[in-house]
Amino acid sequence: MTGATGGIGRVTVLHLASRGWDVIAGARDPAKAADLTAHAERAGVRLRTVVLDVADPASCRQAVDQAEEMTAGGLWALVNNAGVPQAGAVADVGDEQARHVLEVNLLGAARLCRLVLPAMHRHGSGRIVNISSGLGRVPWPMGGWYSAAKHGLSALTHCLRVEAAHLGVQVCLVEPGAFATPMLATATADLAAVRTPGAPGYDRTTALFNAVDRRVPGPEPVARTIEKCLTATRPRPRYTVGRDARLLVPLHSLLPLRVTDLLKHAVCGLPRTAATRTQRAVPDGSTAARPPEPEPEPEPEPETAATARSAAPPTECAP
C-alpha cells in the first residue's frame, strides 16, 4: 500500500495487519516508516515497509523489486493510496505545483499498476485498489487540480479493470468523502501559499475546510472498504464511502450544471458576475460600492453652416 504512514493509509495497513494480511507499507520518509513499524509492534501486529516515492520512477521500480523479493515472487494486491491535495484557484496554481499533484495522484498510481501487473499475470490472479475521491466526480472550486487528478485516476481505473480482466486481475475504485486525515490541513496551507491579495473564494474556502475538519469521522470505514475490495469474490467496480460522498455524488449527477454552479458559488464565496463599474470585488466574494467617477464635461457641438448663418450680422437690403 502506498502512502501508508498517515491518514487513510496508516489506518488501513494497521487494520489489514491485524486481520492477518502480509502487509508491505510504502513510505516516502524512512523516519515515518520506522515510526509506523514501531507503532505496529506496540499494537501487536506485524508489517513490513519499503521506501517509496511514487513521483520517482526509479523509486517505484526499486520498491516493487524489493517487494517481489520479500514475497518470493511478487505482490498479489496493490493499493494505490498516496495523494496530495494542492488546493487553490486554477489561475493561482503554477505549472510545477500542477505537475506534482498529477505525478503523485495519477501518474505514480498508473506506473505502479504497470509494474505489478506482470507478476499478477504469472500468478493468474491479483487485485488492484485505487483510492480516488468523491471530488473526482464532484469537481470543487479552489481544488480544481486535485479534482482533475482524481477524475483522471477514476477514468484510468475503469479502463484498467476491463483491460486486466483477461490476466485474472480484478480492479476496484474507492471514492472516499471527507475523513479526519492530514489532507484537509495540508489543503488549508496550500490556500495560504498560493492566494493572491484580494482574490475571492479563499477566506470562505479556508473556513469551510476548517469546519469540515472539526466534524468529520476517522477513516476506519475506508479501511474496511479496502479490505472488502481485497476479500470479496466478485468485488464491485466502485465503492463510495462516507455520508457526504454518497449524498453529493448522485446529487451532482442529477442536478443541472447551472444549479450546481450556483451552489458552489454560494459555498465558496465566489462572485457569479464581474464587478460593475461602480463596484469592486472584496476578498469574501461580495461587492462593495465605490463612488462613481465624475462625468466628463460635454464637448461643444461643431459649428454647422446653418448655425453660422444665423449668427452672422444681418446685411442691408438693396433699395
Side-chain angles (χ1 to χ4, degrees), residues 6-7 41 44 60 71-72 115 130 133 135 137 153 159 178 181 194 196 221 231 236 255 273 289 296 308 319:
E41 290 176 353
C60 291
T71 55
L115 289 172
N130 288 334
S133 169
L135 296 180
R137 284 205 281 167
L153 181 61
C159 294
T181 73
V194 303
T196 54
T231 56
R236 300 208 307 257
L255 292 176
T273 58

Side-chain angles (χ1 to χ4, degrees), residues 31-47:
K32 291 184 178 180
D35 177 73
L36 176 63
T37 302
H39 184 100
E41 290 176 353
R42 290 193 300 270
V45 298
R46 176 181 177 271
L47 57 77

Side-chain angles (χ1 to χ4, degrees), residues 188-319:
T188 302
D190 289 341
L191 292 173
V194 303
R195 70 179 300 170
T196 54
Y202 281 90
D203 290 340
R204 191 81 64 82
T205 302
T206 299
L208 173 65
F209 286 176
N210 289 332
V212 170
D213 203 17
R214 289 193 297 268
R215 292 174 172 83
V216 289
E220 288 78 11
V222 185
R224 293 192 293 268
T225 302
I226 293 171
E227 184 184 19
K228 189 182 299 183
C229 294
L230 298 174
T231 56
T233 304
R234 297 180 62 184
R236 300 208 307 257
R238 174 167 58 198
Y239 295 83
T240 304
V241 190
R243 291 182 180 179
D244 58 336
R246 289 197 300 269
L247 171 66
L248 291 176
V249 167
L251 190 64
H252 195 274
S253 300
L254 291 173
L255 292 176
L257 285 174
R258 184 170 296 179
V259 175
T260 58
D261 283 356
L262 288 174
L263 293 172
K264 293 172 185 178
H265 277 293
V267 173
C268 294
L270 290 164
R272 290 170 45 216
T273 58
T276 63
R277 200 166 69 107
T278 59
Q279 291 178 325
R280 58 182 174 83
V282 295
D284 66 355
S286 62
T287 56
R290 68 181 179 191
E293 297 176 0
E295 295 185 4
E297 291 290 335
E299 296 181 1
E301 295 183 2
E303 190 177 80
T304 63
T307 58
R309 277 197 299 271
S310 63
T315 59
E316 293 184 2
C317 296

